[in-house]
């Protein structure tokens, strides 16, 4: 049986990378690394029942990092190429060696020692590679048909698409770190318009998995429902309301929180949570986890699961916030050394970048309350289904003022749409005002969210 990893990164390429590492050491380098990533992608896109586009793509690149010892620390040089067919990479390593003389010294730079094995289930599914263009087109067509079947108000489909891809990556270092990884994924997405009389609204939905088998009917129906829920929006009087956040909104909000837990941001004083380890920062109901070894299960694609992080450390389960208390930041080896804290195996990288902190499978622990029960608890509140502009949150103060839309909750039941809302305040306030967690954990790629009930949230109406 063909090793899927070797279809992307053959032995000959790996041998040339090892030769380049040895060459860097001969030049006088303290350390040398090679990170290579290769992927193939395919996409079928239809619009209103007609094929619009059928594309294939191939991406790949190599980044080499050379470490030079200095008087007070280490300097690094990074050089990249997309020519993976080169006869050798000695010149690329020599270029990185020369660049390493120009940077500032860093006393905290660290490299991992070889550790761990790939004992996880395969992240690669060969059926993805075997899909035909005709099958991709058929699934894109089926997705559009399912959306139209779900609602007679679907007036147009801007794009219905099936995409799939596969790829591999590898990190090699002079210490003997070797991290082969091969993966595959499939996704389906639809963007449509619904209409009722002169009223017209746009909506979209998507899902992703490691292998074929996505529920196209559910994706199409969700997109149509999103659109219907926007029709004929009403004005919401400004005031304070009980607010339920939809799981899709909670994913974005918790992703912003995780970004502020990047130790590099903490060190640079660019995080709301700097100096808060061991302190309460959220409701005691909230526990936030990042798990790089999460097992795949029905309804849980675990797309971020990998055996190693991008520095060669075995991935692990990190509890970031436990019962409202901040337990750890997300570290690279460098930031862990600088803060004197334990590594979290949270490094990610592209072939053209230095390692930086990332998340793998980020999710809150689910509560035991159904969404319908949360609506009843909210009484006369608002379900927020969409927030625009979360990227504008001030990472230091946590202040935010963003646009939002959703549904009015009246007597515990979902009612008319409301839009042009101003969702304003401070991120810490939102975290501490969580009074109930839903049982409806839903995955969106490598992150999951659930319904959250917040009390006394100021909403401004148009």
């Amino acid at each position: 049986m063909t090793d899927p990893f070797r279809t992307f990164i053959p032995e000959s390429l790996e041998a040339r990378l090892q030769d380049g590492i040895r060459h860097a050491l001969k030049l006088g380098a303290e350390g040398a690394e090679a990170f290579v990533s290769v992927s193939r992608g395919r996409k079928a896109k239809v619009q209103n029942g007609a094929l619009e586009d059928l594309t294939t793509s191939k991406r790949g690149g190599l980044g080499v990092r050379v470490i030079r010892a200095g008087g007070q620390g280490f300097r690094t040089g990074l050089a990249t190429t997309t020519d993976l067919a080169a006869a050798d990479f000695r010149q690329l390593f020599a270029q990185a060696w020369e660049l390493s003389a120009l940077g500032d010294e860093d006393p905290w730079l660290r490299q991992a020692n070889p550790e761990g094995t790939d004992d996880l289930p395969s992240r690669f599914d060969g059926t993805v590679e075997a899909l035909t263009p005709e099958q991709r087109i058929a699934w894109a067509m089926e997705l559009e048909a399912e959306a139209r079947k779900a609602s007679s108000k679907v007036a147009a489909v801007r794009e219905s698409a099936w995409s799939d891809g596969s790829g591999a990556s590898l990190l090699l270092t002079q210490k003997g770190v070797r991290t082969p990884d091969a993966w595959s994924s499939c996704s389906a997405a639809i963007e449509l318009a619904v209409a009722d009389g002169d009223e017209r609204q746009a909506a979209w939905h998507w899902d992703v998995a490691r292998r074929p088998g996505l529920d196209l009917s559910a994706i199409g129906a969700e997109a149509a429902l999103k659109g219907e829920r926007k029709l004929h929006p009403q004005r919401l009087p400004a005031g304070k309301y009980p607010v339920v956040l939809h799981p899709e909104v909670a994913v974005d909000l918790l992703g912003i929180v995780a970004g502020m837990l990047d130790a590099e941001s903490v060190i640079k004083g660019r995080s709301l949570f700097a100096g808060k380890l061991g302190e309460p920062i959220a409701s005691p109901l909230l526990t936030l986890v990042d798990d790089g070894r999460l097992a795949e299960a029905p309804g849980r694609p675990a797309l971020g699961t990998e055996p190693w992080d991008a520095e060669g450390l075995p991935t692990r389960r990190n509890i970031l916030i436990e019962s409202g208390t901040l337990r750890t930041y997300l570290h690279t080896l460098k930031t862990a050394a600088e803060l004197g804290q334990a590594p979290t195996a949270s490094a990610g990288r592209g072939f053209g970048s230095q390692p930086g902190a990332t998340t793998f499978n980020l999710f809150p622990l689910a509560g035991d309350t159904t969404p319908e029960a949360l609506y009843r608890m909210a009484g006369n509140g608002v379900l927020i289904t969409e927030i625009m502009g979360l990227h504008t949150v001030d990472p230091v103060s946590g202040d935010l003022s963003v646009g939002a839309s959703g549904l009015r909750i009246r007597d515990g039941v979902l009612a008319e749409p409301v839009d042009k809302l101003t969702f304003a305040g401070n991120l810490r306030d939102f975290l501490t005002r969580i009074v109930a967690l839903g049982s409806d954990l839903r995955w969106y790629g490598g992150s999951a969210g659930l319904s959250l009930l917040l009390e006394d949230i100021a909403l401004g109406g148009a």
Side-chain angles (χ1 to χ4, degrees), residues 8 13 16 36-38 60-62 81-86 89:
F8 293 95
L13 173 56
R16 283 176 280 144
V36 60
S37 174
V38 181
L62 165 66
T81 184
T82 56
D83 181 13
L84 301 183
F89 297 105

Side-chain angles (χ1 to χ4, degrees), residues 110-125:
R110 300 289 188 272
Q111 287 181 293
N113 292 314
E115 184 182 353
T117 58
D118 185 356
D119 57 356
L120 299 174
S122 175
R123 279 79 58 202
F124 181 88
D125 190 308

Side-chain angles (χ1 to χ4, degrees), residues 218-240:
I219 299 169
E222 183 76 9
L225 176 62
K226 284 182 175 180
E228 286 186 344
R229 283 181 163 180
K230 290 182 175 182
L231 290 169
H232 307 295
Q234 304 297 306
R235 180 181 181 277
L236 180 76
K240 288 190 174 183

Side-chain angles (χ1 to χ4, degrees), residues 148-174:
R148 292 185 180 278
K149 185 191 303 182
S151 172
S152 60
K153 292 183 172 65
V154 174
V157 173
R158 180 178 179 184
E159 178 179 313
S160 178
W162 173 276
S163 303
D164 57 73
S166 50
S169 64
L170 175 67
L171 170 68
L172 300 170
T173 79
Q174 91 288 350

